[in-house]
Amino acid sequence: QVQLVESGGGLVQPGGSLRLSCVVSGSIFNRYAVGWYRQAPGKQRELVARITNGGSTNYADSVKGRFTISRDNAKNTLYLQMNNLKPEDTAVYYCNGHPAIDYWGQGTQVTVSS
């Protein structure tokens, strides 16, 4: 059974921080890479960050230096530490494999606003 359960979103002021978590099915977590995606209103879903089984990471240019992706293999859990948040980071955040499978969890809403 596929499991993608995101949590940790919320409302935060510009410059603030949030840490997202995602419990991932082993069948997905053991893929070559897993990642965080986001979808803002009226925009397409985009890859924010990804991490391979070996721990190599890649980030979208818009979040480099502010976001950090990590994984806990023992817990099949993916994390996204988001610092210095900006209003343009407002979106629903999802986790998935990379490439993504054709199934998405409910996501977690992140709203950055004063």
Side-chain angles (χ1 to χ4, degrees), residues 31-44:
R31 292 164 65 94
Y32 174 69
V34 287
W36 283 98
Y37 301 75
R38 69 185 179 187
Q39 187 167 21
K43 295 188 177 181
Q44 288 190 333

Side-chain angles (χ1 to χ4, degrees), residues 8 12-20 38 48 59 61-69 79-90 93 110 112:
V12 64
Q13 293 186 342
S17 298
L18 284 173
R19 189 192 194 208
L20 306 184
R38 69 185 179 187
V48 174
Y59 297 91
D61 288 343
S62 58
V63 306
K64 279 181 182 176
R66 300 188 298 120
F67 290 11
T68 303
I69 189 172
Y79 302 99
L80 186 68
Q81 178 66 43
M82 306 187 296
N83 298 328
N84 190 21
L85 282 160
K86 303 176 179 181
E88 51 264 40
D89 295 318
T90 295
Y93 284 71
V110 172
V112 185

